[in-house]
């Protein structure tokens, strides 16, 4: 047996995320409970070379601002459970709306793959996507697939593999905000990293604090509170 | 400095429009990315989707099409399940003879044979033969509709009605989930953002029958409701009855949602944009295999796991005597007067009480109760099953009442547990138990008294 890595699948509803999950894992699926939570997520294994990828199917969401429990589950998994790779599945036919979620994920974690699904449908509709330009602009691999036809799977699996082995290093390009917001981030960020160290992206936590996301605050308190008291 | 202090500081720096600015920035960047990385060579819109939506979500055709789809789905399930069901029943029945022969060959004591063969074996094989075929047809067909993209259209149609009763349109999606399993559906209500509307969805989900109750509904409908019909017509009438029962459950859902949103859960329904995905050709083989294999199998295993101990328990209670009456009969006689008021009997009431852990076991327990007090016939076909019911004084009214009680009564143990986990409130969990129970008692009571008053029975 080789190494085993956790790969989380995120994406908007109706992007074919479940089709991809089912196609990759086949019948090697089960529902797993993760530590300390009552939430259960579908999981399944993919064998690639001598490595096992444990795929976790996060709930489909339009954003990660914790408006609903589903968004919170997905966000908490990516931020606190720290999968080795997060694959964001986008619908090639409505990319503009879909990128929103991808950009949010890129703020939270480094090892991200942008997986553009339904590429066959998009091509039929005359939508030509230049994944090299997108990779350049985003700083992480962008891959085109068709989950229905199992097209692009070798590329996707190989990219996951090269990220976990360190052959590719992801350097997500952060979204820059208007100057006034950036200034405030600068004021908060050092204090955040002092408090939580390198566990979470200090920039992202600062943004959420400014944003007034109390559910995240409670979550951080719950997870880091014990360390503080010790 | 604690994170709490940091939050306070951040809040002082923050302004009201900050989140809007953040979101806007993300949108602008998405827009720029698309402008740079995407070229459109055709300017065609997906006209097929628009044309189909004009029919499927039309104010005139939308609802009739939905009802027809529902009808076709049930018809396929009922008509298709009959033959494999009786084949399984026959197979298990003939196996029982060998088992009995084996037990007498090894000179096993009577009670061992009673517990293992008459209790455990008969109880569990009945669950399998009655429930497995409908599930193996219902789940894949439902999954195909979902894959094709029809279910979001159902939500779209229902949205208008849900808004009118003060609930959220997404409730129709959680209801659709409830047709599979109410316990899972309670968790699926997380897609509803507003706590008030989410609570409505949780409290009323029980009024759509889960697969644990499909078995009961289908068996009773086909045995008693369509007794005078044969062949294809029989399945059609049975389908009609089931569609009626399901419609009634939906009406109760609307009614309870409406009452609650005017009383305990006051408020204005929030607006949301429901996005309709394009229709997609489903991967037929994958879907069918996956949903019939994994879903049917896991539901069945759950049923067997819960049914086996309950069947043993029922058999033991039926065979331990205090004086010349068994424990089971004491319970049955105690519950009988109340059951009779609802047009049911003590056995049925007891089966529902013992069936709290899982709806799947209500029918097997009822059967065990009847078998232990009736003449032990060979149960190897669905016709014999009807004879057992008739011997215990059943009429179409009994069957109808039992179906309604099954549709409306309290959620199963797992569902209640999930409701508690999701709401973290004993009060709401108790209400989730109380509201359906009261309705489940009232409806059969009114029907029975009315039928008796007019002398129809």
């Amino acid at each position: 047996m080789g190494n085993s890595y956790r790969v989380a699948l995120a994406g908007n509803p109706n992007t074919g995320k479940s089709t991809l999950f089912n196609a990759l894992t086949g019948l090697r699926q089960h529902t797993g409970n993760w530590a300390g939570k009552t939430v259960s997520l579908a999981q399944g294994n993919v064998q690639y070379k001598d490595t096992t990828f444990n795929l976790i199917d996060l709930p489909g969401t339009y954003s990660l601002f914790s408006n609903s429990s589903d968004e919170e589950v997905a966000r908490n998994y990516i931020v606190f459970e720290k999968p080795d790779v997060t694959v964001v599945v986008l619908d090639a036919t409505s990319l503009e709306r879909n990128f929103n979620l991808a950009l949010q994920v890129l703020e939270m974690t480094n090892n991200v793959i942008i997986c553009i699904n339904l590429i066959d449908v998009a091509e039929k509709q005359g939508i030509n996507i230049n994944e090299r330009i997108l990779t350049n602009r985003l700083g992480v691999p962008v891959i085109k697939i068709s989950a229905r036809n199992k097209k692009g799977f070798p590329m996707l699996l190989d990219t996951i593999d090269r990220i976990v082995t360190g052959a590719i290093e992801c350097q997500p390009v952060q979204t820059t905000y208007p100057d006034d917001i950036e200034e405030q981030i600068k004021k908060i960020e050092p204090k955040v990293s002092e408090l939580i160290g390198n566990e979470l992206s200090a920039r992202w936590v600062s943004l959420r604090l400014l944003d007034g996301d109390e559910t995240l605050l409670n979550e951080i308190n719950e997870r880091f509170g014990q360390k503080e008291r010790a | 400095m604690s994170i709490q202090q940091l939050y306070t500081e951040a809040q002082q720096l923050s302004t009201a429009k900050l989140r809007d600015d953040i979101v806007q920035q993300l949108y602008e960047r998405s827009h720029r990315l698309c402008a740079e990385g995407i070229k459109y060579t055709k300017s065609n819109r997906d006209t097929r989707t628009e044309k189909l939506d004009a029919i499927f979500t039309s104010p005139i055709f939308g609802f009739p099409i939905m009802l027809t789809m529902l009808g076709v789905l049930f018809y396929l399930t009922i008509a298709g399940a009959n033959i494999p069901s009786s084949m399984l029943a026959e197979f298990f029945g003939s196996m029982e003879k060998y088992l009995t022969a084996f037990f007498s060959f090894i000179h096993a004591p009577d009670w061992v044979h009673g517990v293992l063969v008459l209790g455990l074996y008969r109880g569990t094989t009945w669950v399998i033969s009655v429930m497995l075929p409908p599930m193996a047809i219902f789940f894949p067909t439902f999954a195909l509709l979902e894959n094709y993209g029809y279910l979001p259209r159902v939500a779209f149609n229902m949205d208008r009605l849900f808004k009118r009763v003060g609930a959220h349109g997404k409730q129709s999606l959680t209801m659709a989930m409830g047709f599979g399993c109410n316990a899972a559906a309670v968790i699926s209500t997380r897609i509803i953002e507003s706590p008030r509307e989410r609570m409505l969805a949780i409290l009323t989900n029980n009024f759509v029958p889960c697969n644990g109750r499909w078995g009961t509904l289908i068996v009773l409908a086909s045995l008693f409701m369509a007794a005078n019909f044969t062949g294809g017509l029989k399945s059609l009438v049975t389908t009609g009855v089931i569609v009626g029962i399901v419609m009634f459950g939906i009406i109760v859902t609307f009614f309870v949602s409406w009452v609650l949103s005017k009383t305990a859960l006051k408020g204005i329904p929030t607006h949301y944009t429901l996005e309709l995905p394009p229709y997609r050709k489903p991967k037929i083989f994958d879907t069918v295999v996956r949903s019939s294999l994994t879903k049917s199998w896991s539901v069945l295993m759950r049923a067997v796991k819960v049914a086996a101990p309950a069947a043993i328990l029922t058999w033991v209670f039926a065979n331990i005597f205090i004086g010349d009456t068994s424990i089971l009969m004491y319970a049955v006689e105690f519950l009988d007067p109340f059951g009779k008021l609802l047009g049911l009997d003590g056995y049925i009431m007891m089966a529902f009480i013992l069936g709290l852990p899982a709806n799947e076991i209500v029918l097997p327990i009822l059967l065990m109760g009847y078998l232990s007090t009736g003449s032990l016939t060979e149960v190897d076909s669905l016709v014999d099953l009807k004879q057992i019911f008739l011997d215990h004084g059943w009429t179409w009214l009994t069957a109808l009442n039992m179906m309604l009680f099954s549709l409306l009564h309290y959620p199963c143990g797992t569902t209640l547990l999930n409701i508690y986990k999701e709401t973290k409130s004993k009060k709401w969990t108790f209400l989730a138990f109380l509201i359906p129970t009261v309705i489940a008692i009232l409806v059969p009571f009114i029907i029975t008294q009315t039928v008796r008053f007019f002398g129809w029975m």
Side-chain angles (χ1 to χ4, degrees):
Chain A
M1 273 302 286
N3 296 321
S4 158
Y5 296 96
R6 282 179 306 138
V7 179
L9 290 186
N12 285 12
N14 300 313
T15 52
K17 198 164 64 73
S18 298
T19 311
L20 175 66
F21 177 76
N22 287 336
L24 283 174
T25 56
L27 293 172
R28 298 176 296 277
Q29 299 171 2
H30 59 103
T31 315
N33 283 310
W34 32 293
K37 287 281 148 186
T38 48
V39 183
S40 42
L41 299 167
Q43 301 186 13
N45 287 339
V46 192
Q47 203 66 38
Y48 182 74
K49 292 180 182 164
D50 56 352
T51 315
T52 307
F53 300 137
N54 181 226
L55 258 55
I56 298 107
D57 196 16
L58 299 178
T61 57
Y62 292 106
S63 83
L64 296 172
F65 288 129
S66 65
N67 294 315
S68 72
S69 316
D70 272 353
E71 294 188 358
E72 239 169 84
V73 168
R75 184 199 67 191
N76 286 351
Y77 194 89
I78 298 171
V79 174
F80 296 110
E81 303 298 316
K82 295 181 185 304
D84 297 287
V85 180
T86 304
V87 175
V88 188
V89 184
L90 310 184
D91 176 349
T93 61
S94 46
L95 271 187
E96 186 159 339
R97 195 159 29 83
N98 279 219
F99 265 131
N100 205 359
L101 180 80
L103 293 175
Q104 289 179 44
V105 174
L106 289 175
E107 288 184 322
M108 301 183 335
T109 178
N110 277 344
N111 286 350
V112 180
I113 295 175
I114 309 289
C115 181
I116 300 182
N117 188 23
L118 295 161
I119 196 68
D120 49 335
V121 183
E123 272 162 12
K124 248 182 241 157
Q125 293 180 11
I127 301 172
N128 292 324
I129 298 162
N130 187 329
E131 71 267 39
R132 256 174 261 150
I133 292 183
L134 294 176
T135 301
N136 233 312
R137 297 284 186 276
L138 292 168
V140 297
V142 177
I143 293 161
K144 298 198 279 194
I145 68 159
S146 164
R148 280 169 42 91
N149 306 319
K150 307 195 173 176
K151 231 174 71 187
F153 282 11
M155 181 70 170
L156 176 63
L157 291 170
D158 189 57
T159 310
I160 298 175
D161 190 54
R162 286 202 288 164
I163 287 181
V164 296
T165 53
I168 308 180
E169 210 175 307
C170 296
Q171 280 169 329
V173 178
Q174 297 296 314
T175 306
T176 41
Y177 292 97
D179 291 343
D180 54 328
I181 297 183
E182 286 295 334
E183 243 169 69
Q184 285 158 4
I185 295 174
K186 263 187 215 121
K187 283 184 212 157
I188 299 274
E189 206 181 327
K191 294 175 188 168
V192 173
S193 38
E194 198 180 308
L195 205 63
I196 55 174
N198 293 326
E199 285 286 304
L200 311 174
S201 153
R203 181 184 163 84
W204 178 74
V205 174
S206 308
L207 262 169
R208 295 280 77 78
L209 288 178
L210 288 168
D211 184 20
D213 190 340
E214 278 198 89
T215 60
L216 175 74
L217 185 77
N218 296 333
E219 199 68 36
I220 292 179
N221 265 333
E222 217 172 90
R223 304 207 183 216
F224 290 84
Q226 284 166 327
K227 263 183 233 166
E228 245 172 67
R229 263 172 256 129
Chain B
M1 187 187 248
S2 77
I3 188 111
Q4 195 68 50
Q5 285 166 308
L6 203 57
Y7 180 68
T8 320
E9 197 184 315
Q11 281 308 291
Q12 280 157 2
L13 291 171
S14 173
T15 56
K17 64 186 258 291
L18 189 118
R19 175 178 274 209
D20 287 345
D21 285 346
I22 292 177
V23 174
Q24 200 195 336
Q25 197 60 26
L26 289 173
Y27 273 107
E28 273 170 24
R29 197 165 164 222
S30 297
H31 184 74
R32 269 203 312 280
L33 278 169
C34 289
E36 290 169 345
I38 303 176
K39 279 201 193 75
Y40 298 91
T41 53
K42 281 187 234 163
S43 60
N44 67 334
R45 296 301 314 149
D46 193 353
T47 50
R48 194 177 63 108
T49 297
E50 274 160 31
K51 273 184 203 150
L52 281 173
D53 273 344
I55 303 167
F56 283 153
T57 63
S58 125
I60 304 161
F61 301 117
F63 280 94
I65 291 175
M66 262 162 54
L67 276 183
T68 314
M69 289 263 194
L70 199 67
V72 170
L73 186 62
F74 292 144
Y75 183 82
L76 285 176
T77 307
I78 293 162
N82 268 338
I83 294 161
S85 260
S86 39
M87 273 169 61
L88 278 171
E90 224 164 280
F91 168 75
F92 287 127
S94 64
M95 284 300 287
E96 190 185 310
K97 290 190 193 96
Y98 293 108
L99 277 175
T100 304
F102 172 76
F103 275 89
S104 64
F105 173 74
I106 59 166
H107 301 293
D110 268 355
W111 68 267
V112 172
H113 177 252
V115 169
L116 291 180
V117 177
L118 301 181
L120 181 67
Y121 179 82
R122 218 176 250 189
T124 47
T125 54
W126 255 104
V127 185
I128 297 175
S129 45
V130 166
M131 283 181 40
L132 183 63
M135 285 190 318
I137 300 171
F138 182 77
F139 284 149
T141 324
F142 203 74
L144 282 178
L145 278 184
E146 188 184 1
N147 270 17
Y148 182 63
Y150 180 67
L151 288 193
R153 272 76 192 177
V154 172
F156 184 87
N157 288 335
M158 301 288 277
D159 186 38
R160 302 166 195 158
L161 292 178
F162 277 105
K163 284 251 171 70
R164 203 166 294 170
V165 298
H168 199 289
K170 281 188 196 166
Q171 192 171 330
S172 54
L173 288 177
T174 63
M175 273 170 69
M177 186 73 138
F179 282 117
C181 172
N182 296 128
V186 165
I187 296 178
S188 80
T189 58
R190 285 179 185 161
I191 59 172
I192 300 173
E193 289 90 2
S194 140
R196 183 191 79 88
E197 287 150 17
R198 196 178 162 208
M199 194 63 81
L200 283 176
I202 289 178
L203 291 179
T204 55
N205 190 268
N206 183 54
F207 297 127
V208 293
C210 63
N211 63 64
R213 292 179 275 169
W214 281 124
T216 309
L217 294 180
I218 292 173
V219 167
L220 294 184
S222 54
L223 287 185
F224 284 91
M225 296 300 155
N228 299 325
F229 302 95
T230 49
L233 201 60
K234 191 180 169 114
S235 301
L236 206 65
V237 174
T238 312
T239 303
V241 172
I242 301 245
V243 170
I245 292 272
V246 171
M247 289 289 292
F248 184 67
I250 293 173
I251 291 169
V252 172
T253 301
F254 281 129
F255 178 72
V256 173
S257 300
W258 179 73
V259 170
L260 282 173
S261 70
K262 291 273 175 268
T263 53
L265 289 166
K266 261 202 196 100
I268 306 147
T270 48
H271 284 273
Y272 77 109
T273 30
L274 182 69
E275 188 197 354
L276 294 178
Y279 295 92
R280 284 173 192 143
K281 212 175 94 204
K283 295 290 253 187
I284 294 172
F285 184 73
D286 273 18
T287 307
V288 169
V289 168
R290 183 162 296 104
S291 55
S292 43
L293 274 185
T294 44
K295 218 169 185 180
S296 304
W297 184 248
S298 65
V299 169
L300 185 71
M301 284 322 286
R302 189 177 100 97
V304 170
K305 267 184 216 154
V306 193
I312 293 180
L313 197 72
T314 313
W315 193 91
V316 170
F317 280 168
N319 287 276
I320 295 178
F321 286 77
I322 301 172
D324 55 358
T325 313
S326 67
I327 295 180
L328 179 88
M329 281 314 289
Y330 277 117
V332 167
E333 275 161 21
F334 175 76
L335 293 167
D336 207 50
F338 179 65
K340 286 272 158 51
L341 277 179
L342 310 185
L344 304 167
D345 66 26
Y347 290 96
I348 304 174
M349 297 316 292
M350 186 212 56
F352 275 114
I353 292 170
L354 285 178
L356 178 69
N359 287 307
E360 288 88 339
I361 60 178
V362 171
L363 206 57
I365 290 180
L366 180 62
L367 203 69
M368 285 307 306
Y370 281 159
L371 284 175
S372 63
T373 54
S375 54
L376 270 176
T377 43
E378 299 281 341
V379 185
D380 55 8
S381 80
L382 296 169
V383 182
D384 293 338
L385 184 63
K386 184 175 181 180
Q387 197 54 50
I388 294 168
F389 289 140
L390 289 177
D391 288 346
H392 283 85
W394 275 49
T395 62
W396 63 268
L397 184 63
T398 324
L400 178 68
N401 283 330
M402 175 147 176
M403 286 166 75
L404 285 171
F405 195 85
S406 172
L407 173 80
L408 302 170
H409 80 298
Y410 46 80
C412 75
T414 319
T415 307
L416 284 172
L417 201 68
N418 276 356
I419 292 176
Y420 180 69
K421 275 186 195 161
E422 293 295 316
T423 61
K424 299 207 175 61
S425 148
K426 289 199 178 97
K427 183 188 110 188
W428 287 112
T429 310
F430 180 67
L431 274 178
F433 177 87
L434 190 69
I435 295 169
T437 308
V438 169
I439 295 175
I441 290 171
L442 279 180
V443 171
F445 176 78
I446 292 167
I447 290 179
T448 306
Q449 298 311 319
T450 311
V451 168
R452 285 190 189 146
F453 179 80
F454 286 106
W456 291 330
M457 201 59 230

